[in-house]
Amino acid sequence: MEAELVSRLANDLVWIRPELLLAGFALAATLVGAWLGDRVGGLLAGLCAVGLVIAAFFAWQMRPAEPQLVFGGALSIDGFSGYAKAVIALAAAATLLLGADHFARRNERRFEFPILIALSAVGMFVMVSANDLITLYVGLELQSLAAYVLAAFRRDDARSSEAGLKYFVLGALASGLLLYGASLIYGFTGSVRFDVIAASVADGGLGVMFGLVFLICGLAFKMSAAPFHMWTPDVYEGAPTPVTAFFAAAPKLAAVALLARVLYGPFADLEDQWRQVIMALAGISLLVGAFIALAQTNIKRLMAYSSIHNMGFALMALAAGTEKGASAALIYMTIYLPTTIGAFAGILAMRRDCKDVETIEDLSGLAQRKPWLAMLLTVIFFSVAGIPPLAGFFGKLVTFQAALDAGLWPLAVVAALATVISAAYYLNIIKVMWVNPPAPAFQSSGPTIAMTAGLATLLIFPVLVVGFGWVEQAALLAATSSFP
Amino acid sequence: MSGVPILSLMTFLPAAGALLILAARWSSSGQHAGHDTGVKWIAFIVTLATLALNLVALTQFDASQPGFQLVERVAWGAGLEYHMGVDQMAMALLLLTNFLMPLCILASWNIEKQVSAYMMLFLALHTLMQGVFGAMDIVLFYVFFEAGLIPMFILIGVWGGKNRVYAAFKFFLYTLIGSVLMLVALIFMAIMAKTTSIPELTAFAQQGGFAKDLQIWLWLAFFASFAVKMPMWPVHTWLPDAHVEAPTAGSVILAGVLLKMGGYGFLRFSLPMFPDASAFFTPLVFVMSVVAIIYASLVAFRQTDIKKLIAYSSVAHMGFVTMGIFAGTEQGVQGAIFQMLSHGIISGALFLIVGVIYDRMHTREIAAYGGLVHRMPVYAAIFLLFTMGNVGLPGTSGFVGEILTMAGTFPVNAWVTAGAATGVILSAVYALTLYRKVAFGKLENPALATITDINAREWVMFVPLVIGTLVLGFAPMIALDFTKASTQAILAGYDVFAGR
C-alpha cells in the first residue's frame, strides 16, 4: 500500500518537472540571495532565464495525447497545459532579458526580481494545469501575489508603490469574487473537481449559474477584460517597465488558458449561458480598448488599453465554444506575446539623459535618429494593428474564423470595426516616429534589450508567418487532446 | 511548362532586392558617398529584371486558354494555401505593374531623404502589388491587398507634400475599414465553401452555394472594400488628398496600379461569386458611376492644383470602369479592363509630367505656370499627347476604353450611357483648360525664364509611355484579344445567374 503510494507520488512528480524546477530554483535562489545580497542579482536572473527555457522544453515534451491527471486529479497534464506552459515560460524568460539591461543601468539590480518571476511562472503553470477549483485558486493567487510585489518593486518610487497597492486591493476584491463563485459552485454541485462538476453542472440550476458568473468576473479581472479593466492603465504606468512587459505578456496567456479550461471543461454544458457573458466581455473590451487608447499620450498607458483591446479578440475566440475557438485563443495569444514584448523592448529603449521617458511624443523622428529601432517598432505596431503579412494579422484571422464558424458574426463585425479604430492609434505612433521632426536622440539601449526587440520582430515576421501552419497544428492538437 | 515557379520568382524578386538594400545599409551604415546612387541603381535593375521575368512568363502563357495558368500551390496552415496563378486579366495587369515600376524608380531619382528606406518600401510595394494579381487563394489575396497599405502609408507620410500626414491617415483608415469588412465576409465564405481557393469558391458560388439574401450582404462587404479602393463616388475623397501629397512615383503607382485593384476585385469576386447580388445592385453602381463621371469632372475643372485636377479626372475615369464592369456585357467588361490598362498608362504619365515641372519649380499651382511651350517644346508635346489621351481622342488608348465601356452599357441602360457621354465632353473641358493654362500663353512668371526642357532620364521615362498609349490606341486588338478568354470565363457564370 505504502509502496504503491510512493511509486504513484514519484510518477506524479515526474509529470510536474517544470514546476519543480522553477519552485526549486526560487527557494534556492532566495537562500543564496539572502546570503550574498544583490551582488548575485545578475547571475540569478541569468540562471532563472536558463531555468525557464529548460522548463519550457520540459513542458513542450509533456503533451500527452490523453489528459494525465496527477495528485489525485488536482492537476491535469495535457496538450493544452503543455503548450501554454511552454509559451508562458519563454515569455517570462524574455522579460528577464528586458529587465537585465534596465535594472543594471539604473543600478537597481535586486536578486528578488528573478525569484518573483519564477514564482509567478510556477503560479501560472499551476493555473493552466488546474483541474479543480482549489488548485485554480492557489495557482492564481501564487501568480498574483508575486505580481503585486513586482508592481511595487521600485520601493522608493511613489508611482510604483501606488501601482502595487492598487493592484493588490483590486486583485483581492477579484479573488473574493472568484472564491465566492467557487463556493457557490461547490455548494450546488458537491465537488471542486472539474470532472465531477462537469457531470452534475446541468442539474445545478441557478446557483451554479451565479457561481459561474462570479468566477468569470474574477478571471476577467485577472486578464483585464473590460469592464474589469480599471486597474490596468495605472498599474501598467506605475510599475517598472520590465515588470509591465511581464504583466502584459505571460499572465495574459495564463488567464486566457485558464478561462478556456474552466469554460470548456466543467462548464461545457452551460455553453449557451456563458457564451452571452463572454461575448459581452469581448465586445466591451474591444471597444473600450480601441476608443480610450485614442486619447492616451503615455505609451505605457496606451499599451494597457491596447492589451484590453487584444483581450477582446481572445475572448471572441473563446466565445465560439468550439475546439477551434480554444485553439484560436491560444494562437492569438502566442502571436500577441512576442508582439507585446517587442513593443516593450522598444519602450525600454526610450531613455534620454539617463532618464526613462515614456510619452509618445518622445518617439518623434526616431526613424532619423535610430532607423533600426524605428523599423522594428514599425513592424511591431503594424502587427498589433493586424495588418498582413505580419503575424498579428494571422492571429486576428484565426479568431475571426473561430467566431464566424460558430455563427457569431455580429461580434465579428464589431471586432472588425474596433480594429480600424485601434489602427488609428497604432498608426499615430508610427507617424510620430517617421514624420515628426526628430527629438534629441536616445541613449543607446543595452544589448539584451536590442536583442529582445530583434528576436521579437523576427518572430513576428517572418518566423511565425512562414511557420504559421505549424503553430496552428500545435494549438489545434492542444485543444483537441484536452477538451474531448 | 518548365518546373520553375516563375510567378513566385517574379513576385518576390523585388522583395529580395529590398533585402539587398537593407543588407547594404547594414554593412555600410549608408555613410559613404555614392551609397544612395547605388541604391537607386539596385532598385532600377531589380524592377527591370522583374519586367524581364514577366515577359518570360508571358512566353509560357497561353492567351487562348481560359482559366488560371502557371499555377503554384503549397499548403500553408489553418486551411490556407500559398496558391498562385494568373489568367489573362491578371497577366495584363501584372504587365502594367511591371511596366510602370522601372519608370517610377526613374521618376524618384531626385529623392534625397532616406533613399534606402524609400527604395525598400517601393520594392516591397512592388512585390505586394504583383501578389494581389497573382494570388489564387482568397486569404493570400487579402494578405497582399492589405499589406500594400504599409508601404503606401509610410511613402505618403514621409516623402509626401505639406499635408502628407492627414492624407496618409485618411488613405490608410478609409481603405482599412473597407478591407476588414471584406475580411469578415471572405472568412464567412471560406467557412461555407470549405475552401479558400478562388476558382473553387467561384465554382461553389456558381452552383448556387450562396443564397441571394446572403449574397447581398457578402457583396456589400466586398463592395465596401473595392469601392474605396476604386475609388467610387462618394468614398473617393481620400484620393485627391493622397495623390496631391504623395511623391510623384507614389502618385503614379497609386493611379496606375493600386486603383486597378478595385476593378480587379469586382471582376474576380463580385461578378462571378455573387451574380444575383451584382445584378440586384447594378442600378446602384450605375448611378454611382455616372455621378462619379460627371461630378468628378466638374470638380476637376475648378481645381487650382495640377495634381488634384488629375486625381479627380482619375475618379471620373474609374467611373467608366465600374460602369463597364456592371453592364455585364462582353464589350463592357473588355472595355473596363482596357480602360484600366489605358488609364494606368495615361494617368501615370500625367503624374510624371507634373513631377517634371514640380522637380524644377517645387509648386503644383496651375497659376504659377504658363507659356511652358516656349521653354520646353518637347515637354509640351508629350504633355499634349497625354492630355489628348485623357480626353479620349481617337488614336490614343483612352478613346478605346471609353467607347467600349459605353458601347457595352448602351444595350443595358441607354440613360446611363448618355450621362457617361457628357463626362467625355467635360473631360475635354478640364483637360484642355489645364493644358492651355500651363503650356500656352506668355511666359509671365519670371521664375520660369530659366526652366529647362526634359533631360535624358526623363526621355527614357516618357518614351515607353508614349509608345504604350499609341500602340494601344491604334491597335487595341493586342490587348483585347489577350483578355478575351478571361472576360468570357468571368461572364459565363454571370450571364446564367443574372437571368440573361
Side-chain angles (χ1 to χ4, degrees), chain B residues 203-267:
Chain B
F204 178 83
Q206 293 185 350
Q207 285 152 15
F210 304 120
K212 187 177 174 187
D213 293 352
L214 179 63
Q215 276 190 26
I216 285 182
W217 289 106
L218 294 174
W219 190 93
L220 283 173
F222 276 74
F223 187 67
S225 177
F226 298 142
V228 170
K229 204 78 164 187
M230 194 86 204
M232 294 179 75
W233 177 87
V235 284
H236 65 281
T237 58
W238 64 269
L239 184 80
D241 288 319
H243 262 321
V244 169
E245 301 306 335
T248 302
S251 298
V252 174
I253 283 304
L254 204 54
V257 183
L258 292 179
L259 301 192
K260 309 303 175 286
M261 290 178 184
Y264 177 78
F266 281 135
L267 285 170

Side-chain angles (χ1 to χ4, degrees), chain A residues 368 372 375 382 387-389 393-394 397 400-401 404-405 416 420 423-424 427-428 431 434-435 465 468-469 472, chain B residues 22 26 76-78 80 114 142-143 146-147 150 153-154 157-158 164-165 169 172-173 176-177 180 184 187-188 191:
Chain A
Q368 287 172 49
W372 293 100
M375 215 159 68
F382 272 126
I387 308 297
F393 165 72
F394 292 89
L397 178 72
F400 275 125
Q401 271 178 342
L404 289 170
D405 208 19
V420 180
L427 277 184
N428 182 44
K431 175 221 115 185
W434 284 84
V435 179
V465 174
F468 176 63
E472 201 259 343
Chain B
L22 186 71
W26 180 288
W76 190 3
L80 311 181
Q114 303 179 61
Y142 184 83
V143 166
E146 191 71 357
I150 299 179
F153 176 78
I154 303 180
V158 178
R164 55 187 193 256
V165 174
F169 269 79
F172 195 101
L173 294 177
L176 186 65
I177 198 161
V180 287
V184 172
I187 295 174
F188 192 88
I191 288 170

Side-chain angles (χ1 to χ4, degrees), chain A residues 150-239:
Chain A
L150 279 171
F153 195 65
R154 191 160 287 149
R155 281 172 279 192
D156 42 10
D157 180 74
R159 278 200 312 170
S160 179
S161 308
E162 183 200 334
L165 188 65
K166 195 172 244 168
Y167 196 13
F168 178 67
V169 172
L170 290 173
L173 181 69
S175 297
L177 285 177
L178 191 133
L179 269 184
Y180 183 54
S183 62
L184 275 174
I185 292 165
Y186 171 67
F188 280 85
T189 60
S191 175
V192 292
R193 284 273 303 266
F194 282 2
D195 35 355
V196 183
I197 295 175
S200 52
V201 78
D203 341 306
L206 209 53
V208 171
M209 208 76 81
F210 267 98
L212 178 59
V213 171
F214 277 116
L215 200 65
I216 292 177
C217 292
L219 290 177
F221 175 89
K222 298 288 174 191
M223 64 193 284
S224 69
F228 303 99
H229 64 283
M230 308 298 182
W231 59 276
T232 322
D234 293 338
V235 172
Y236 271 42
E237 189 187 359

Side-chain angles (χ1 to χ4, degrees), chain A residues 227-265:
Chain A
F228 303 99
H229 64 283
M230 308 298 182
W231 59 276
T232 322
D234 293 338
V235 172
Y236 271 42
E237 189 187 359
T241 311
V243 174
T244 312
F246 178 70
F247 288 168
K252 290 284 189 298
L253 173 73
V256 169
L258 178 60
L259 188 61
R261 197 166 264 288
V262 170
L263 296 178
Y264 287 59

Side-chain angles (χ1 to χ4, degrees), chain B residues 376-430:
Chain B
M376 307 173 75
V378 181
Y379 174 82
I382 295 172
F383 192 3
L384 182 64
L385 175 75
F386 287 108
T387 300
M388 289 308 164
N390 206 20
V391 173
L393 188 78
T396 64
S397 59
F399 169 73
V400 184
E402 283 176 9
I403 196 78
L404 270 178
T405 50
M406 286 194 285
T409 314
F410 193 78
V412 182
N413 193 327
W415 289 106
V416 168
T417 320
T422 55
V424 179
I425 303 168
L426 291 174
S427 76
V429 175
Y430 65 74

Side-chain angles (χ1 to χ4, degrees), chain A residues 57-150:
Chain A
F57 178 72
F58 281 161
W60 191 253
Q61 295 283 308
M62 290 191 297
R63 293 177 301 142
E66 287 288 307
Q68 199 77 28
L69 297 185
V70 297
F71 294 107
L75 290 172
S76 164
I77 310 294
D78 49 33
F80 196 74
S81 69
Y83 182 102
K85 283 177 197 175
V87 180
I88 289 169
L90 291 179
T95 51
L96 278 175
L97 273 184
L98 290 182
D101 278 345
H102 178 79
F103 290 124
R105 69 193 177 192
R106 294 179 62 115
N107 221 356
E108 299 185 321
R109 198 177 245 171
R110 294 199 212 298
F111 74 91
E112 292 97 336
F113 183 64
I115 298 174
L116 288 167
I117 297 272
L119 283 175
S120 185
V122 175
M124 289 186 268
F125 283 13
V126 175
M127 278 161 73
V128 297
S129 271
N131 196 42
D132 69 32
L133 292 171
I134 306 283
T135 324
L136 181 160
Y137 183 72
V138 170
L140 199 62
E141 281 306 283
L142 179 53
Q143 185 265 319
S144 302
L145 278 172
Y148 303 146
V149 183
L150 279 171

